[in-house]
Amino acid sequence: MKVRSIAVFTALVALAAPAWAQRADVVIRGGTIYSGADAPPITGDVEIAGDRIVYVGPARGTAAARVIDATGKIVAPGFIDAHTHPDTYIRSPDATARLNLPWLAQGVSTIVTGVDGGGTPDVAADARKLEASRIGTNVVPFVGFGAIRARVLGADDRAPTAAELGQEKALAAKAMCEGAYGLSTGLFYAPQSYAKTEEVIAVAREAGRRGGMYDTHQRDESSYTIGLLASTREAIEIGRAAGMPVHFAHLKALGVDLQGQAPQLIATIEAARAAGQQVTADQYPWLASGTSLDASLVPRWAVDGGYAKMIARFDDAATLARIKAEMRDNLRRRGGKDSILLTSADQPWTGKTLGAVAAEWQVDPIDAAIRILRVADAKGTEPAGAGVASFNMADRDVDLIMQQKWVVTSSDGSDGHPRQYATFPQKYQVYVRERKVISLGDFIRRSTGLTADLYRLDRRGYLRPSYFADVVVFDPVGYAPRATYVNPRVPSVGVVALLVNGQVVLENGATTGAAPGRALLRPRPTPCA
């Protein structure tokens, strides 16, 4: 049949459209719409039916069961957090905690998990468990090199045998075939730090041949071992040898020895990109990193075998003297006793610097750190209160990294650090509105569409017809962080509404009780059995 007019053609398209495209359950009306693409905003409506967006454009008066007035507000894709530690919430026995308020209140609809080498190889079973428990945000899983290595080798400082390496490779392949997006590593942390580059390449290659990304907390972000630039080159080489994109987690120049080296760091990555390699990074907008007291101060050899063996080494006078000497140098590179803020909840030292606690106890700061590390958790497998915020970065480095076109937003949100509750509004308020390091359009692009592109998320990260309806509406004046280093668990404000898979999960800062989050598993790759 020949189409004789535009009107006839339009009618035929409407008849052929799927049923969900001919109705609207929700209309977000009159907002300033940023689509997630590198494009100027428009003013208009976003229409949603079921879990999909069906229209984005000028207002056309569509009726809907629910209308959200976005006049004077910004409408964008739900933010995607490229690096998170949400287990306290999404794995909580409490249904309300599993809604994941710290991220919802920031406007985050999707979080990347299993990072720093921690992701379980049992990806499919974990995804089923999360969805059955009803979570508030979508989850993008990685399999962790640390979890793989611990399952095969435990916490020992040794190389795998040929048979053990085969087991590690099989676990990586299994996880990829079950929907992982790639292999994450945390080579700074024991026992992953004990692995040689060749072992990491061998395991990573299993993810690479199945289309995965290499996501890394690199071996050294400072001057602990091989140094920042050598560590960066190592990660790039792992990706090249494994045939996979490289993504640097929370890219930074950490510590007094490295401050000011962001230009060299960026040049190293740019050289790899210019040579045709896909290399990207994420970053959080804070001057303090978050880690543990033992990871930041205790040398890696002293934790070989796990927590109990570390304590046994503390109990040996000669060994302790050697440990303390190295701890003093690590404290120096971190900026000294007053740059370490103790953040673990419900401890006598919570909210105090290591220097303040040492003065209160009338001991040397290193002795204070060891005293804290000796307090074990209920299982006796790790310290009970060793979380820290470590003030170790310089504004000029953070600014320059943030401005790179291949850097996206992440929180590295972990318990006890305000970044868990406040990263996206912190970036907006401080780096967009106050200091103007990046533009509003860049902020949204680096928190939505660009992130979705890097991870190859299916129909996420953009406001486009047929895409999943993950949408945030926020007040450009009122969107702001409330968490601080001393009070890190205060939800952010200014999100008028957040939809995840078409359901309103947050309205005017309060959760609705809806829990439509999904485990976004990758399509089954080849080769897979």
Side-chain angles (χ1 to χ4, degrees), residues 366-400:
I366 297 302
D367 289 323
I370 291 171
R371 180 170 164 180
I372 291 168
L373 292 171
R374 284 183 178 278
V375 179
D377 65 1
K379 296 180 181 179
T381 57
E382 60 183 33
V388 301
S390 173
F391 292 83
N392 52 51
M393 285 172 272
D395 276 318
R396 64 188 184 277
D397 291 327
V398 173
D399 292 357
L400 188 60

Side-chain angles (χ1 to χ4, degrees), residues 236-249:
I236 291 169
E237 171 58 20
I238 290 168
R240 188 201 62 76
M244 59 201 305
V246 174
H247 184 81
F248 286 92

Side-chain angles (χ1 to χ4, degrees), residues 120-123 143-144 147-152 164-178 203 206:
T120 176
D122 303 320
V123 174
V143 61
I148 289 172
R149 198 175 202 272
R151 188 172 292 189
V152 177
E164 288 168 336
L165 183 60
Q167 293 176 48
E168 290 183 280
K169 292 164 63 176
L171 286 170
K174 167 186 178 293
M176 292 301 300
C177 290
E178 292 183 359
V203 178
E206 296 300 317

Side-chain angles (χ1 to χ4, degrees), residues 111-122:
I111 58 176
V112 178
T113 64
V115 294
D116 292 345
T120 176
D122 303 320

Side-chain angles (χ1 to χ4, degrees), residues 135 146 170 189 288 359-360 459:
I135 55 177
Y189 298 108
E360 182 179 316
R459 288 165 290 174

Side-chain angles (χ1 to χ4, degrees), residues 456-480:
R456 301 176 189 173
L457 302 184
D458 179 27
R459 288 165 290 174
R460 308 275 175 180
Y462 293 92
L463 299 183
R464 293 171 177 166
S466 84
Y467 274 56
F468 291 97
D470 298 339
V471 188
V472 62
V473 182
F474 67 92
D475 180 350
V477 176
Y479 182 58

